[in-house]
Amino acid sequence: MPQRRQDAPPCRDGTVTKEGGMQDIAIFTVGELFGGVERQVMDLHAESRRRTDLRYRTYLFHDHTLAAALREADAPLEILPTAHRYDARAAGRAAAAFRRHGHQVVHAHGYRAMVTLAAATVAGRAVPPVVKTEHGLPELGRGLSLSAVKTLANHRLDRWATHRLDAVVCYVTDDIRRHYDDDHRGLQRHTVRNGIPPLDRTAFPRPDDLPTGSTLLGIVGRISEVKGIEHALAALGDGEATRGAHIAVIGTGPLEAALKTQAAAAGLQDRIHFLGFRT
């Protein structure tokens, strides 16, 4: 197990830095979807272009939307081929790639990246020091479904891997940090909130399909149980406070059909607009 120096520096922009010189950092995540993690990866690469002390290279398991966006941005990228989610060969491939490119730090997102790194150390392969960002809480859902059991098992593997790697853990909110007080006891921990680059609003014209002439509420994200969108839809039809308001739901996910049915049953289909995924 790698030993953490007692004077290890704190997180900055989700990475560990040291005084002087270029910091060569591997970003390691799945790349299967495009959400908050992927948005942060894109922002980190954009930030590195504005600085002379950071250099990122991203490693993904999936060649999907994030990979395409990184290529369009001319950001260094490598896809690690795997036969399935638990392909043991990924650990050796990742360790070899990090060694080949001389990375000083791995910035990991998600259990799969963490377990892959830990598996590499079990096999006797060296990996650079690891910084892990926790973006949210385990999404166990309701009841003891197969999905919930798998999520719980992956969460426990993630906890083992985090300690095995003696990772520095960063959390995007203090609430998430408190949730992991027991799981991450004894590790170096920091809250590093998501940075949002300045935006020029004039460069983003209002989409033509957004309703006008009324109060418009926006929900941006995956349409899944953990987001609680059904509560927003229920509130829309509850009382004078929301009369005339509209909701634009931007994103896709497994609950989209159910929420459309909920909206229609409540007679709100003209005030709830499902606009799909937008870049």
Side-chain angles (χ1 to χ4, degrees):
M1 182 186 303
Q3 296 299 310
R4 171 164 48 88
R5 291 174 30 226
Q6 294 304 308
D7 61 342
C11 300
R12 183 179 69 185
D13 294 331
T15 64
V16 168
T17 61
K18 65 182 182 181
E19 292 299 323
M22 171 72 72
Q23 303 303 299
D24 201 308
I25 300 160
I27 299 177
F28 194 18
T29 188
V30 176
E32 187 173 12
L33 306 172
F34 197 95
V37 172
E38 293 73 26
R39 182 70 262 166
Q40 186 184 87
V41 170
M42 295 299 299
D43 287 345
L44 287 172
H45 276 289
E47 177 67 14
S48 72
R49 294 183 180 279
R50 293 189 286 268
R51 293 169 56 166
T52 59
D53 60 335
L54 292 177
R55 180 169 57 206
Y56 292 105
R57 184 180 184 87
T58 296
Y59 297 84
L60 306 175
F61 293 117
H62 293 276
D63 195 346
H64 290 166
T65 305
L66 175 58
L70 288 168
R71 289 191 187 98
E72 185 176 353
D74 198 26
L77 168 68
E78 188 165 331
I79 306 296
L80 299 175
T82 57
H84 52 79
R85 186 178 296 270
Y86 300 103
D87 189 342
R89 294 171 294 180
R93 290 167 179 164
F98 300 155
R99 182 173 62 252
R100 185 168 63 251
H101 291 286
H103 297 301
Q104 298 160 294
V105 173
V106 180
H107 183 193
H109 306 261
Y111 80 88
R112 190 172 169 190
M114 292 297 294
V115 172
T116 299
L117 292 168
T121 68
V122 170
R125 294 177 176 270
V127 299
V130 176
V131 173
K132 171 191 184 182
T133 292
E134 290 284 6
H135 295 264
L137 306 180
E139 299 179 15
L140 298 177
R142 298 188 179 95
L144 198 62
S145 65
L146 177 60
S147 176
V149 171
K150 288 173 62 177
T151 299
L152 182 59
N154 289 333
H155 172 67
R156 290 180 175 175
L157 279 172
D158 190 12
R159 180 173 59 189
W160 163 79
T162 303
H163 283 275
R164 168 83 189 180
L165 296 163
D166 199 20
V168 175
V169 188
C170 301
Y171 312 86
V172 298
T173 70
D174 289 331
D175 283 346
I176 295 173
R177 179 177 178 176
R178 285 190 289 269
H179 175 86
Y180 284 101
D181 277 347
D182 290 334
D183 282 358
H184 297 160
R185 194 175 303 279
L187 299 173
Q188 188 181 162
R189 307 166 61 206
H190 307 273
T191 299
V192 180
R193 294 174 177 82
N194 287 328
I196 302 174
L199 295 176
D200 177 6
R201 292 182 60 184
T202 62
F204 299 91
R206 181 187 180 92
D208 293 336
D209 52 357
L210 288 184
T212 58
S214 60
T215 300
L216 179 63
L217 311 175
I219 299 175
V220 182
R222 284 181 294 123
I223 305 180
S224 58
E225 183 178 346
V226 71
K227 301 298 186 181
I229 299 174
E230 70 275 13
H231 302 299
L233 304 195
L236 192 66
D238 184 20
E240 292 293 327
T242 58
R243 187 175 298 280
H246 289 241
I247 293 179
V249 181
I250 300 175
T252 59
L255 289 188
E256 184 171 356
L259 292 178
K260 288 180 177 177
T261 299
Q262 176 187 340
L268 298 172
Q269 63 272 23
D270 294 333
R271 295 169 55 200
I272 300 174
H273 311 271
F274 292 87
L275 303 180
F277 178 80
R278 302 292 177 94
T279 57

